Amino acid sequence: MKSKIWGGRFRGATDAVLEAINVSVDFDKRLGPQDVKGSLAHVAMLAETGVVTRQDAAAITRGLEQIRGEIENGTFAYSRALEDIHMNVEARLAELIGPVAGRLHAARSRNDQVATDFKLFVRDSIDGLDEQLADLQLALAEKALAEAGSAMPGFTHLQSAQPVTFGHHLLAYVEMIGRDRGRLKDARARLDECPLGAAALAGTSFPIDRVMTAKALGFSRPTANSLDSVSDRDFVLETLAAAVICATHLSRFAEEIVLWTTPQFGFVALSDKFTTGSSIMPQKRNPDAAELVRGKTGRIVGALAALLMVMKGLPLAYSKDMQEDKEGAFDALDSLSLCVAAVAGMTRDMNVDRARMRKAAGCGYATATDLADWLVRALALPFREAHQITGRIVAIAAERGVALEKLPLSDMQRVEPRITGEAFSVLSVEKSVRSRTSYGGAAPANVRKQARRWLRQLRKEQG
């Protein structure tokens, strides 16, 4: 076993149990690219401020560039005996350039190093997720425009409420994903401070230039308090919180896809690309992709809850507990990325049964509110009175087993004698949907306008 870099004051060997619980390179090796990037910025600053000679800095830089290539091409050899990614990189650097490698760690600690690495990783993840979510919005908006006039039942309590259109329904998710992107961008803005140079917890006596390293790594500024710099994991928590809300939105949509693809609904169908069969029932076409999106949301929620529990009792500054910040975050961000890709794929893949949706849109007396609104407009009734009258008319229709638009006028006039045949003009699904012209309403003209607005915005973002 290679000697511990921190082992100067230790005489005995560590127990195998401690070795097992302490090692993190199995998962934090994902921070390899970020670790090298941070080290390159750090050594450039050390040379500029005279902490190391330019000759030594050049040797360190050459070694780090070789290590970066090894990590990128998969040939870097990780050692569990070296505990973490930072020690693995430093040990490899020593193999490549000799003792001068030890000068790299001047004016920093693994505490500020890992905080910087993890911030860089989370920032990269947010940028990747934002691109994916924009693509999902594009897929939804394109489908919404194509289905702007396709009537479907709108639900409350999963009961037929009022007719809407499929395009309008999809645009609801475009709006949700837009807020998700906003939350991730907010999280990115708040993590835009560089911890590097805070050292272990108190800063350093070396004449370093933290602004230089912050700018080199793409941060707006360095963190202002060294204790906070190394003990903060807000940037992970906030990103995970945004991820949880986003995953919840995706799960809701996935649940609807599961419902819509059942024979009982039959609103949409997915192709072989996003469905699987049964090992015993030959007829089955299961929406597994949607179900797994729904299921993976629990993992993402769990990652946030777990990290909150880790952080809730930690005194300042760094504690080894914080090593538990990465595995859950890695898994959550990977899972969310996969879920976004799956939902975008299903959105583009789904085939809409317009006739089936139109038929369902007229069920359950879904245009009853249109009749109540007509009573308000035509007879100048207060809405609450119109609501009572309409409810009694619906009860008669239900007793007769007929649709509202098929109920004889005479039956309506038994409840309210002033009702005329004009009332039937508002009871069709198409007229009901077209009448919802208020801003944000379900009228096809509104849906087309909103879908085109989103498409213009999203395509502009794509350049």
Side-chain angles (χ1 to χ4, degrees):
M1 180 183 294
K2 298 179 181 179
S3 62
K4 306 292 187 185
I5 292 177
W6 46 259
R9 69 154 292 176
F10 290 80
R11 297 180 183 277
T14 53
D15 191 90
V17 173
L18 176 58
E19 296 279 351
I21 199 171
N22 193 46
V23 68
S24 63
V25 71
D26 295 339
F27 54 86
D28 69 19
K29 64 185 178 183
R30 288 192 62 173
L31 299 178
Q34 290 80 16
D35 195 71
V36 173
K37 184 176 183 178
S39 292
L40 285 167
H42 185 65
V43 74
M45 181 274 295
L46 293 179
E48 188 66 26
T49 56
V51 176
V52 301
T53 67
R54 294 193 180 276
Q55 182 179 358
D56 286 347
I60 292 170
T61 298
R62 286 194 301 273
L64 288 171
E65 291 290 1
Q66 180 171 337
I67 291 169
R68 175 153 61 185
E70 292 174 359
I71 290 173
E72 288 175 350
N73 64 31
T75 60
F76 188 88
Y78 299 95
S79 168
R80 299 185 87 244
L82 292 170
E83 297 180 8
D84 58 33
I85 182 61
H86 322 296
M87 294 295 94
N88 270 265
V89 170
E90 188 170 332
R92 176 58 176 153
L93 184 63
E95 290 177 354
L96 292 172
I97 66 172
V100 71
R103 299 190 183 280
L104 172 62
H105 208 55
R108 76 174 184 185
S109 160
R110 282 188 292 178
N111 295 353
D112 61 332
Q113 191 178 356
V114 70
T116 303
D117 292 356
F118 205 9
K119 274 197 172 184
L120 290 170
F121 178 89
V122 171
R123 189 178 70 184
D124 291 343
S125 297
I126 289 173
D127 291 345
L129 283 168
D130 185 67
E131 288 185 15
Q132 284 190 280
L133 290 168
D135 180 65
L136 173 55
Q137 285 183 297
L138 186 64
L140 289 164
E142 288 171 343
K143 187 73 75 172
L145 183 59
E147 305 296 341
S150 302
M152 71 172 289
F155 298 97
T156 61
H157 309 277
L158 205 56
Q159 304 294 314
S160 292
Q162 292 177 291
V164 294
T165 73
F166 193 61
H168 190 60
H169 198 107
L170 294 179
L171 285 181
Y173 286 100
V174 176
E175 297 289 337
M176 293 181 216
I177 301 303
R179 295 194 296 274
D180 293 327
R181 293 180 66 195
R183 275 181 283 269
L184 286 167
K185 288 177 181 177
D186 288 345
R188 193 189 194 284
R190 265 182 290 279
L191 68 75
D192 197 22
E193 296 180 338
C194 182
L196 194 59
L201 76 161
T204 178
S205 60
F206 289 101
I208 62 173
D209 185 346
R210 293 191 63 208
V211 172
M212 179 181 173
T213 48
K215 295 295 184 184
L217 293 172
F219 292 101
S220 294
R221 56 197 167 274
T223 51
N225 183 282
S226 59
L227 283 168
D228 180 54
S229 301
V230 299
S231 62
D232 163 51
R233 290 300 182 270
D234 289 3
F235 65 95
V236 191
L237 289 168
E238 187 172 8
T239 301
L240 288 176
V244 165
I245 298 172
C246 181
T248 301
H249 290 153
L250 299 181
S251 183
R252 294 181 74 180
F253 188 42
E255 167 65 8
E256 294 196 304
I257 292 173
V258 171
L259 289 173
W260 292 341
T261 56
T262 62
Q264 291 75 17
F265 273 78
F267 290 178
V268 303
L270 296 172
S271 76
D272 294 355
K273 293 180 181 179
F274 290 95
T275 56
T276 65
S278 164
S279 62
I280 189 172
M281 295 168 284
Q283 84 283 6
K284 293 295 295 294
R285 181 184 290 276
N286 299 323
D288 281 11
E291 292 172 6
L292 288 166
V293 168
R294 193 175 57 187
K296 285 182 182 295
T297 298
R299 297 171 66 150
I300 300 169
V301 173
L304 173 60
L307 185 53
L308 285 167
M309 292 302 100
V310 168
M311 299 301 298
K312 71 174 181 62
L314 297 186
L316 298 182
Y318 182 84
S319 296
K320 195 69 170 185
D321 313 49
M322 293 166 69
Q323 184 167 288
E324 294 298 311
D325 61 355
K326 296 173 196 66
E327 284 184 280
F330 291 157
D331 182 75
L333 295 173
D334 287 346
S335 295
L336 182 58
S337 176
L338 186 57
C339 289
V340 175
V343 172
M346 286 186 288
T347 298
R348 291 189 168 100
D349 183 66
M350 65 175 57
N351 183 46
V352 180
D353 190 332
R354 298 187 181 104
R356 185 74 173 258
M357 286 197 308
R358 165 61 183 82
K359 182 178 179 181
C363 295
Y365 306 102
T367 58
T369 304
D370 297 276
L371 177 57
D373 289 345
W374 181 88
L375 292 169
V376 171
R377 290 193 304 270
L379 304 184
L381 295 176
F383 181 78
R384 288 303 175 200
E385 184 178 346
H387 186 287
Q388 289 289 326
I389 291 169
T390 302
R392 290 161 62 191
I393 292 172
V394 168
I396 293 171
E399 290 172 3
R400 300 283 181 85
V402 298
L404 199 56
E405 64 270 25
K406 300 296 184 181
L407 188 68
L409 177 60
S410 59
D411 285 336
M412 292 188 182
Q413 290 174 334
R414 282 170 45 205
V415 179
E416 172 49 68
R418 291 175 292 169
I419 294 177
T420 68
E422 182 187 345
F424 290 92
S425 67
V426 302
L427 296 182
S428 73
V429 166
E430 287 73 22
K431 288 183 178 178
S432 174
V433 172
R434 284 200 301 269
S435 73
R436 306 297 169 181
T437 56
S438 59
Y439 182 78
N446 284 9
V447 176
R448 292 186 183 96
K449 184 177 180 180
Q450 292 285 5
R452 290 183 177 120
R453 176 182 66 83
W454 272 111
L455 289 170
R456 284 193 301 271
Q457 177 179 323
L458 293 163
R459 288 165 179 162
K460 184 178 180 180
E461 287 180 21
Q462 289 183 336

